Amino acid sequence: MKKIIIDEEFCKGCGLCAEACPKQLLKIGSKLNKQGYPLVEIESSDQEKCVSCALCARVCPDVALKITKPEK
Amino acid sequence: MKKRLFVKGNEAVAMGALEAGCRYYFGYPITPQNDIPEFMSREMPKVGGTFVQAESEVAAINMVLGAGAAGGRVMTSSSGPGISLKAEGMSFMAGSEVPAVIVNIQRPGPGLGGIDVSQADYFQAVKGAGHGGYHLIVLAPHSVQELYDLTMLAFDLADRYRIPAMVLGDAMLGQMKEALVPHAHQLPEDLPPKDWAITGKGGRAKGNAVKSLYLADGELEAHNWHLHAKYAQLKEKETRFEAVGLEDAELILTAFGGAARIVKTAIAMARKEGLKVGLIRPITVFPFPAEIYRTATAKTPKVLCVELNNGQMVEDVRLSVDPMADVRFYGRPGGTGSLPDPEEIFAQICKHYKD
Amino acid sequence: MAPNEQTVFQRPSSLKEVPTHYCAGCHHGTVHRLVAEAIDLLDVQQQTIGIGSVGCSVLLYDYFDIDVVEAPHGRAPAVGTGVKRVHPDSVVFTYQGDGDLAAIGTAEIIHAANRGELITVIFLNNTTYGMTGGQMAPTTLPGQVTTTSPYGRDVTKEGYPIRVAELLAMLGGTAFSARVAVDTPKRVMEAGRTILKAFEMQVKKQGFAFVEVLGACPTNWGMSAIEANERVGKEMMDYFPLGVYKDITASG
Ligand SMILES: Cc1ncc(C[n+]2csc(CCOP(=O)(O)OP(=O)(O)O)c2C)c(N)n1
Ligand code: SF4
Ligand code: SF4
Ligand code: SF4
Ligand SMILES: [Mg+2]
């Protein structure tokens, strides 16, 4: 499942989330959004490794990330 | 019989404000208007209102901006240097369409100038004082009763048109004591609701914004045309003046505020001598009562404008009169020992009457 | 959302769902979100009134789903005073930059604090005038190069950066004054708690509450977002230490 949802209209590719991720799952890719900003990416295989800690989302100045976790 | 009080002009302003439902006053001390904040500090708490002595006129006008934006009936008062400091705030209020009343009890300038009678701030008042090209409603009382009545009116006009209104007095009017007949304020029933006011969304679908910044294509131009239309509407509907003895006048005197008092006495002297002299006294100096000047001078071309400055309102008079009119000026800037007496103006009437 | 999912983090509802005009990595966005979270947590969106200032954050009404008044440069605390006196039960906050609050608006912030106005002030200190192109601010660090201190701020001529949180803590009317930062997840969470506290104190009518947030301006610092974010911890905190400088509700 997708634990981290990236809103491509909001992301500005600043990279602060990638710095914050303890698992280093995020990186800035080459794809651009409508405003011309490069977008943050996560390999779909890495979604599994995400621990839903939301540290990435908390430092994101653009509120571009939504984090979920599986119900226990 | 109606109750008559004997009060100072400055107090009449404050009394009129309270009667009109003003419950917020923000100000900073400056001569010759200190009776207003002093009165407010004493009386506001008794009616559950707010008095704040601000740290400066800059702060005071911005408190007024906030309280007006929040929908309150709010006032500030000051003089000369203090009105200069309020200019930026008044520009924001005009741009953001925040109603409020600003009182200027004029003193002479420029700079610190003096504390006596003067009408040196006519330009400042009718041109809006601050940047960006806007107008305030400007009411020019000439008696203690009018200070009271026109302050009340200022609140209603400000609310009706969403515009800051100024009461333009002077040290003579503010400091003198005269009979005043107080009366209940009749709040007009057709004032528009303040549905634009900042109250907290309170369930509204959209938040209100009171602002003057317009960045989108064409937005600011549209806003300025909207303000312009409001000024045109004011000219059409809210122009006020007093006209006396124009029917048989050979010479029309014109003056506003404190100067008009001296002129009235001088005209009485002239009439006694058989001189046919009339008077036009603007009560609103913005909007300026242009029409009465045009029609009156079509019949009586000679006009003498008297001001307690070096010639300011005379420019508006010249723009208003019939093209064939002959507009003359007599004035003295204020300062200690510089107030003309009625005899001095009477001498001017005699001089201009003849040639 | 699938039924077996639980949301851990999402946009607060007081923040409109629109992208901001801020530069990539600008901390204004982070601080906006923390303010919106505080409003949501206290459930006061319907009675909250924002006072915008002049600086990069001038478009407050575009981003917050609340009522907003625009104030002239530096005057937000005076405008907030007027609003709060008319609506004493509303929640009024100003949002100001360092040029706005610590230069042109010095008198207004000091006197609003000293009167103990029941408002909350959020102050974003990014050591520069962001909106006008990175000129020297009262908070510019000694030696810092800006567009009007091209040789670096010379304290013998240009004075010292003003520590506003400490300054306001000295005033009788101040109930709460703190400095926080948003450069690491931990500090963001601490900043969020502090901002929440500053709003809560207003709701409880405990007094004037002030939060200074150290923020990055990557554009005018001439840095990448990541470098600018690092500068906050590496350079700013030495001069502007984080901490609570006054809290009348603290015990002991
Ligand atoms: C009276 C006045 N003077 C100057 C300006 C120009 N001005 C606009 S924003 C600004 C500085 C903003 O800096 P800051 O408050 O630090 O906000 P930032 O953009 O850094 O967030 C200045 C000087 C103005 N709008 N009004
Ligand atoms: S922090 Fe936000 S804006 Fe920056 S790269 Fe990550 S998701 Fe995009
Ligand atoms: S939620 Fe935590 S683990 Fe998952 S991507 Fe974000 S920071 Fe990394
Ligand atoms: S100029 Fe600086 S303060 Fe302004 S939006 Fe860009 S990064 Fe933020
Ligand atoms: Mg700044």
Side-chain angles (χ1 to χ4, degrees):
Chain A
M1 68 167 279
K2 264 191 170 181
K3 295 174 194 157
I4 162 161
I5 300 144
I6 300 162
D7 189 324
E8 301 197 344
E9 288 320 304
F10 285 72
C11 176
K12 290 175 183 159
C14 69
L16 296 184
C17 53
E19 290 281 298
C21 175
K23 303 273 172 191
Q24 296 176 356
L25 303 178
L26 303 167
K27 67 171 195 322
I28 304 304
S30 50
K31 191 178 160 201
L32 305 180
N33 71 3
K34 266 195 229 149
Q35 291 192 70
Y37 288 113
L39 293 168
V40 72
E41 289 174 353
I42 180 166
E43 298 287 339
S44 43
S45 55
D46 281 347
Q47 287 274 10
E48 274 310 301
K49 296 183 198 154
C50 170
V51 295
S52 301
C53 64
L55 297 185
C56 53
R58 288 185 198 284
V59 296
C60 173
D62 291 283
V63 205
L65 303 175
K66 185 178 163 184
I67 313 294
T68 63
K69 75 174 182 196
E71 201 110 49
K72 287 217 188 85
Chain B
M1 204 190 90
K2 275 189 178 160
K3 187 169 70 167
R4 271 173 158 257
L5 302 175
F6 194 60
V7 300
K8 238 182 165 178
N10 283 336
E11 285 179 353
V13 168
M15 289 165 66
L18 285 187
E19 182 55 42
C22 170
R23 289 296 176 271
Y24 307 93
Y25 175 92
F26 306 94
Y28 186 86
I30 186 169
T31 308
Q33 61 81 56
N34 291 323
D35 314 278
I36 301 175
E38 286 165 12
F39 184 98
M40 289 300 197
S41 68
R42 194 170 68 238
E43 299 302 324
M44 269 299 188
K46 297 181 191 167
V47 295
T50 293
F51 166 86
V52 176
Q53 180 167 324
E55 60 271 26
S56 68
E57 289 87 349
V58 176
I61 193 70
N62 284 290
M63 292 173 188
V64 169
L65 191 169
R73 278 211 153 174
V74 54
M75 180 171 105
T76 185
S77 59
S78 189
S79 183
I83 299 292
S84 294
L85 283 184
K86 291 183 194 293
E88 184 202 33
M90 291 193 286
S91 169
F92 271 71
M93 288 165 67
S96 325
E97 303 183 88
V98 173
V101 174
I102 299 126
V103 179
N104 180 3
I105 302 298
Q106 293 171 92
R107 55 188 264 170
L112 209 46
I115 56 168
D116 308 272
V117 183
S118 169
Q119 296 183 321
D121 299 346
Y122 178 90
F123 280 153
Q124 186 198 39
V126 302
K127 310 291 183 201
H131 62 284
Y134 65 92
H135 289 288
L136 313 168
I137 292 174
V138 187
L139 302 170
H142 86 315
S143 64
V144 168
Q145 185 71 48
E146 266 191 354
L147 282 168
Y148 179 82
D149 294 341
L150 294 182
T151 299
M152 285 190 194
L153 176 66
F155 281 100
D156 294 341
L157 290 177
D159 279 353
R160 181 179 302 283
Y161 293 92
R162 262 191 87 175
I163 189 174
M166 176 176 276
V167 176
L168 186 65
D170 62 45
M172 175 203 314
L173 297 167
Q175 295 299 324
M176 71 189 211
K177 274 193 161 182
E178 218 172 41
L180 169 72
V181 181
H183 51 86
H185 174 69
Q186 293 295 335
L187 192 72
E189 276 166 19
D190 58 343
L191 287 183
K194 294 188 174 180
D195 50 8
W196 48 265
I198 299 301
T199 56
K201 262 179 77 177
R204 254 186 277 118
K206 273 179 71 183
N208 282 344
V210 169
K211 61 166 188 128
S212 64
L213 182 70
Y214 292 95
L215 294 176
D217 254 8
E219 223 183 20
L220 185 57
E221 180 179 359
H223 179 61
N224 268 307
W225 283 118
H226 159 69
L227 295 180
H228 185 81
K230 175 151 62 180
Y231 305 142
Q233 204 186 4
L234 285 170
K235 282 179 195 166
E236 195 186 305
K237 295 197 180 146
E238 303 297 349
T239 301
R240 287 168 171 79
F241 61 89
E242 180 191 14
V244 192
L246 295 183
E247 308 73 31
D248 65 342
E250 301 273 327
L251 170 68
I252 298 171
L253 260 75
T254 185
F256 74 97
R261 296 177 72 90
I262 309 170
V263 166
K264 278 187 168 177
T265 311
I267 289 177
M269 294 162 78
R271 283 273 173 185
K272 234 185 202 162
E273 299 295 320
L275 303 181
K276 293 171 180 164
V277 183
L279 170 73
I280 300 175
R281 177 176 71 89
I283 294 173
T284 53
V285 286
F286 189 92
F288 195 71
E291 190 58 19
I292 183 67
Y293 285 96
R294 201 183 56 73
T295 52
T297 53
K299 210 170 84 186
T300 311
K302 208 193 288 179
V303 180
L304 175 61
C305 178
V306 177
E307 299 179 64
L308 303 177
N309 58 44
N310 304 73
Q312 299 190 20
M313 185 181 82
V314 65
E315 294 190 1
D316 284 332
V317 174
R318 288 201 169 109
L319 285 172
S320 307
V321 291
D322 183 86
M324 303 306 286
D326 173 10
V327 178
R328 300 158 185 210
F329 174 75
Y330 184 75
R332 288 177 66 183
T336 308
S338 299
L339 183 65
D341 56 16
E343 286 73 19
E344 187 174 330
I345 304 302
F346 174 62
Q348 289 297 319
I349 291 175
C350 295
K351 183 178 145 200
H352 290 283
Y353 198 83
K354 283 191 212 102
D355 61 32
Chain C
M1 195 164 75
N4 58 341
E5 273 173 32
Q6 187 188 333
T7 302
V8 181
F9 183 95
Q10 65 183 351
R11 168 175 292 271
S13 62
S14 296
L15 203 60
K16 289 186 185 172
E17 195 143 356
V18 288
T20 68
H21 72 289
Y22 297 120
C23 309
C26 174
H27 283 171
H28 272 304
T30 318
V31 179
H32 281 19
R33 194 196 83 229
L34 296 177
V35 168
E37 283 175 355
I39 295 169
D40 283 6
L41 282 167
L42 294 167
D43 194 18
V44 291
Q45 182 183 3
Q46 300 304 323
Q47 62 262 42
T48 295
I49 297 170
I51 315 294
S53 65
V54 183
C56 280
S57 62
V58 68
L59 301 175
L60 220 56
Y61 40 78
D62 280 349
Y63 304 138
F64 286 90
D65 187 14
I66 56 170
D67 276 10
V68 173
V69 189
E70 159 202 281
H73 196 23
R75 318 303 174 202
V79 173
T81 297
V83 170
K84 185 74 182 191
R85 297 297 180 115
V86 175
H87 301 301
D89 293 326
S90 63
V91 176
V92 175
F93 75 95
T94 73
Y95 186 103
Q96 304 174 256
D98 45 326
D100 190 89
L101 182 141
I104 195 166
T106 322
E108 284 75 12
I109 187 61
I110 286 188
H111 288 275
N114 199 49
R115 281 192 304 271
E117 289 299 336
L118 263 178
I119 62 173
T120 302
V121 172
I122 306 299
F123 169 51
L124 189 118
N125 172 1
N126 58 13
T127 73
T128 191
Y129 286 43
M131 187 193 224
T132 41
Q135 293 84 4
M136 185 176 67
T139 45
T140 292
L141 291 176
Q144 185 180 333
V145 171
T146 72
T147 54
T148 51
S149 57
Y151 309 108
R153 182 179 189 156
D154 176 352
V155 294
T156 66
K157 296 197 192 93
E158 283 138 5
Y160 292 84
I162 298 180
R163 297 184 178 99
V164 183
E166 290 88 328
L167 190 71
L168 295 185
M170 287 163 54
L171 300 172
T174 302
F176 184 79
S177 180
R179 182 181 293 115
V180 296
V182 291
D183 58 329
T184 67
K186 205 171 149 215
R187 290 197 186 116
V188 170
M189 285 188 266
E190 181 59 26
R193 280 190 290 272
T194 308
I195 289 172
L196 176 62
K197 163 102 184 160
F199 274 86
E200 197 180 17
M201 286 181 71
Q202 181 179 174
V203 171
K204 292 183 176 166
K205 303 203 189 294
Q206 287 167 323
F208 175 88
F210 175 84
V211 182
E212 173 172 345
V213 187
L214 301 183
C217 173
T219 303
N220 286 301
W221 293 356
M223 293 176 178
S224 72
I226 289 169
E227 288 165 346
N229 194 61
E230 278 172 3
R231 177 180 182 251
V232 174
K234 278 192 187 145
E235 291 176 30
M236 287 177 77
M237 282 178 204
D238 286 345
Y239 196 93
F240 297 113
L242 305 187
V244 176
Y245 292 94
K246 186 169 185 184
D247 179 3
I248 60 159
T249 67
S251 49

